[in-house]
DNA sequence: ACAGCAGTGTGAACAGTGTCTACATGGACG
DNA sequence: CGTCCATGTAGACACTGTTCACACTGCTGT
């Protein structure tokens, strides 16, 4: 997974860039952004530290790449939840993308942090479509679900372009608070009810 | 500001603990959590690196202390907004604490990040009252404002204990998205309108 | 087929970091 | 006045990101 997609030169290593990205992703999964240590990634790829600089300008560039891959993972999780919902159930579709987002944050806290705490990347999250990467960004999925809801019910006739951000803000904020906030240790049922309550609040408040 | 309050022994340095905390806070203000570098703090205090370990067990302990101080700053900012609102204006008081929170995040992004991105601290944010520190925590202020609103209007008769978290989630999420998200560079007027919109959404959705 | 070459990985080095240890110092208190 | 414990120092260690000169490798053009 997380194949770069482009060229596959098969030089000395095979595809070091992909190997470093995979190692970085594994580190991110276990320990969040700070755990993405360049030297450790090269170690796991069985390569000297300097080799990384043939593929990434910086430790930040590696972290950036891991972050983009993690954002794609979030989007995939959202789409998976979406798959079970009928196309005309606008209410359900909004709930699904929100749930996908929140559940991913709980299931993969490290990746989630890297996806959205790496500052420069959030700016990309709302951008049209990433170059090669296939799917939509998490923000686009949420925004699209909101569009559907607005069409289905005449929910907010004067819906201004910021409404999707407000919804995202609420969902993202709950995810963060559940991640390392006062609600960290919560049993599954209560947490799931918090998801539902928040999404209801968002839908009602828009 | 940020005086520890307790003993002031005037040993070699005077009060190194406070000096380190001040230096750490300044570093946090400029560069967020990663910028809180123990050695740099000792350098600014004019002291050897090892000296810090007489007052903080860890770099993490220093960061933790800076985080608590920053949380107190957030609370102060919220209370400052609250001061201009009449006691019986429950609507206005909820808005005020939310605005204080959001405006602080924009004015002091580095401190805000340290206040709420340092994982272990968020758990404390909701706790009753911190040991020596005078005022309320940001969460308590928000929760209190919500209580007022519930009393004033029979807003949510079956208000479950999680409602304040949902409101906090929405406010916090917007703050984060505005900090290093796609809305980063936004003119002041638009940003303030986003604050108002979100708080309206929260109030309507509760 | 062979020389060249650009892409790729190596090894050693540098500065900077957190952290530990043995040692020095100086103010407080008997 | 003398002792002692809290405080600060010096130096070391392991680790990090980053850079440099160098070595290899496999494709390219003649």
């Amino acid at each position: 997974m997380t194949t770069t997609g482009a060229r596959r030169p098969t030089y000395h290593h095979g595809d070091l860039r992909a190997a470093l990205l995979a190692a970085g992703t594994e580190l991110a999964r276990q320990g969040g952004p700070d755990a993405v240590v360049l030297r450790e990634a090269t170690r796991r790829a069985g390569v000297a530290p300097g080799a990384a600089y043939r593929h990434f300008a910086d430790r930040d560039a590696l972290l950036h790449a891991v972050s983009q891959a993690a954002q794609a993972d979030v989007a995939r999780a959202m789409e998976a939840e979406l798959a079970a919902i009928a196309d005309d159930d606008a209410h359900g579709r909004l709930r699904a993308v929100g749930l996908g987002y929140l559940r991913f944050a709980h299931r993969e806290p490290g990746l989630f942090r890297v996806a959205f705490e790496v500052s420069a990347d959030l700016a990309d999250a709302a951008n049209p479509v990433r170059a090669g990467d296939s799917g939509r960004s998490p923000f686009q999925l949420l925004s699209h679900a909101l569009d559907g809801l607005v069409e289905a019910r005449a929910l907010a006739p004067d819906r201004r372009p910021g409404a999707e951000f407000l919804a995202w803000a609420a969902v993202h904020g709950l995810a963060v608070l559940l991640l390392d906030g006062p609600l960290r240790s919560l049993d599954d049922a209560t947490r799931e009810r918090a998801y539902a309550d928040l999404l209801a609040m968002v839908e009602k408040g828009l």
Side-chain angles (χ1 to χ4, degrees), chain A residues 133-205:
Chain A
D133 258 330
S134 51
R136 291 190 175 82
S137 76
F139 170 75
Q140 287 175 315
L141 288 168
L142 179 66
S143 178
H144 193 267
L146 266 170
D147 284 342
L149 195 64
V150 168
E151 282 176 28
R153 308 148 50 173
L155 192 58
D158 64 339
R159 179 165 111 79
R160 293 209 311 286
E164 61 265 41
F165 285 106
L166 301 188
W168 188 12
V171 173
H172 185 71
L174 182 59
V176 170
L177 255 50
L178 286 170
L179 223 57
D180 43 23
L183 289 71
R184 191 167 13 188
S185 53
L186 219 61
D187 60 294
D188 292 10
T190 313
R191 183 163 20 82
E192 285 286 334
R193 213 178 56 181
Y195 294 166
D197 288 352
L198 182 93
L199 291 169
M201 180 187 98
V202 168
E203 206 172 344
K204 211 169 88 179

Side-chain angles (χ1 to χ4, degrees), chain A residues 6 107 118 138 154 159:
Chain A
R107 184 173 3 113
V118 178
R159 179 165 111 79

